[in-house]
Amino acid sequence: GHLSPTIPFFFWFQYTSNGNYSFNFFGEATPPVQTTYVWNFGDGTRLQGKTVTHAYDKQGIYRVLFTAEDELGRTGTDSVFIIISPSRFVKLDEKGNELPGNALQWVMVRDAATGLVWEMKEDRDYVHNYQNPRDADNTYTWYDENPATNGGDPGVAGDGTDTQDFIEMLNGSRLGGCNDWRMPSCEELKTIADGLRFNPAINTDYFPATVPWYYWSSTTYEEFNYAACHISFLGSPPSETVVIQNHNGYKSIAYCARGVRGPVFSGQQN
């Protein structure tokens, strides 16, 4: 769900798949107010209503924008990516070489839909190991000392336990022979969150050891710069299928982090 700072109600939406590129969408606002619901499906189609069904006619990346508007004209918006691709993820070894889909060991995953390469987490044993930036159990406070990218608030520095430390260690390890790893933006992190999966809400065939909890993005919250966007990878049970996973948390709170490299992804490509 999402509580907008500009409107006095909580709103959320969910979706389920019908197969064949077809999806059902349902939105709601709480407490009940006179609300209009508008859906923009990223392919030129717009529909209005609490419950709608939409089918895409081709593969691609579609940003579904959901807008709730109350009787005074105040609006809240949120979005999710629908990515339709038959062979989307590719496993990579420590040198960046492609591996077969049934490979049992890999360290990175390339998303053929977005062009991004993601680090794979390991050693999920419920013990922090900050000497290994790929340890799945590590959590970090949000910190970015660069005023050009921190939104005006650097966050909370740690001693090897903040997101800037994490990226520096990941680059120092030269994972994949590269030193251009970075924190993903909120929009980039959304692309690997899978609202049709639960606990964790991600494709574990390619992203095992994912903690079903919040992961930091690099995106500072525009309304309050002491907070930043994080994405939940818990998901919801199939009976609910709630997929609004992006929230904003205080930069002082420790959450999980996953590194990414590659061209900046900012929206749909279809």
Side-chain angles (χ1 to χ4, degrees):
H2 183 73
L3 179 62
S4 171
T6 59
I7 56 177
F9 59 84
F10 182 86
F11 67 95
W12 58 274
F13 73 88
Q14 66 185 40
Y15 74 88
T16 57
S17 174
N18 298 317
N20 297 322
Y21 304 173
S22 178
F23 299 86
N24 298 320
F25 296 85
F26 174 79
E28 190 167 45
T30 303
V33 292
Q34 184 177 340
T35 309
T36 300
Y37 304 96
V38 178
W39 306 83
N40 185 330
F41 295 102
D43 62 352
T45 304
R46 291 169 58 91
L47 294 176
Q48 184 171 311
K50 288 183 65 173
T51 302
V52 296
T53 298
H54 181 64
Y56 293 97
D57 61 7
K58 63 179 180 179
Q59 298 173 14
I61 302 176
Y62 301 94
R63 183 172 182 261
V64 178
L65 181 66
F66 170 68
T67 301
E69 181 177 348
D70 71 6
E71 68 275 14
L72 298 179
R74 295 171 294 188
T75 62
T77 62
D78 222 321
S79 64
V80 68
F81 284 102
I82 301 291
I83 300 180
I84 302 172
S85 176
S87 55
R88 180 180 170 190
F89 295 121
V90 181
K91 297 176 181 178
L92 304 175
D93 67 15
E94 65 278 359
K95 295 182 179 180
N97 298 314
E98 292 189 9
L99 296 169
N102 61 356
L104 299 180
Q105 294 184 338
W106 66 102
V107 299
M108 300 173 291
V109 175
R110 184 173 68 244
D111 186 343
T114 63
L116 296 172
V117 175
W118 298 88
E119 63 146 330
M120 195 192 80
K121 293 300 184 181
E122 62 182 6
D123 298 337
R124 190 182 174 204
D125 54 8
Y126 303 95
V127 177
H128 295 163
N129 177 10
Y130 289 102
Q131 299 305 308
N132 177 12
R134 294 179 53 223
D135 189 283
D137 302 291
N138 292 348
T139 57
Y140 303 88
T141 57
W142 196 101
Y143 182 69
D144 178 3
E145 65 182 4
N146 186 349
T149 54
N150 65 19
D153 186 316
V156 177
D159 183 11
T161 58
D162 63 61
T163 55
Q164 182 170 295
D165 292 333
F166 160 64
I167 290 299
E168 289 176 353
M169 287 196 67
L170 192 61
N171 281 320
S173 73
R174 295 193 64 84
L175 178 64
C178 301
N179 62 356
D180 58 350
W181 293 93
R182 56 182 173 81
M183 288 291 292
S185 70
C186 189
E187 296 295 274
E188 289 173 332
L189 199 52
K190 283 183 187 181
T191 65
I192 59 170
D194 190 337
L196 299 179
R197 298 174 187 264
F198 172 60
N199 194 28
I202 197 171
N203 187 335
T204 53
D205 290 340
Y206 293 90
F207 297 96
T210 296
V211 178
W213 190 231
Y214 291 108
Y215 281 71
W216 279 123
S217 80
S218 64
T219 307
T220 290
Y221 187 31
E222 291 184 1
E223 298 287 340
F224 307 108
N225 65 3
Y226 51 78
C229 172
H230 50 54
I231 303 296
S232 170
F233 283 84
L234 173 60
S236 298
S239 60
E240 299 178 17
T241 328
V242 178
V243 297
I244 286 297
Q245 299 158 321
N246 51 310
H247 303 269
N248 296 285
Y250 293 112
K251 293 177 177 180
S252 59
I253 301 176
Y255 290 122
C256 301
R258 187 188 298 274
V260 70
R261 58 178 301 271
V264 174
F265 175 83
S266 59
Q268 66 191 54
Q269 299 173 357
N270 52 68

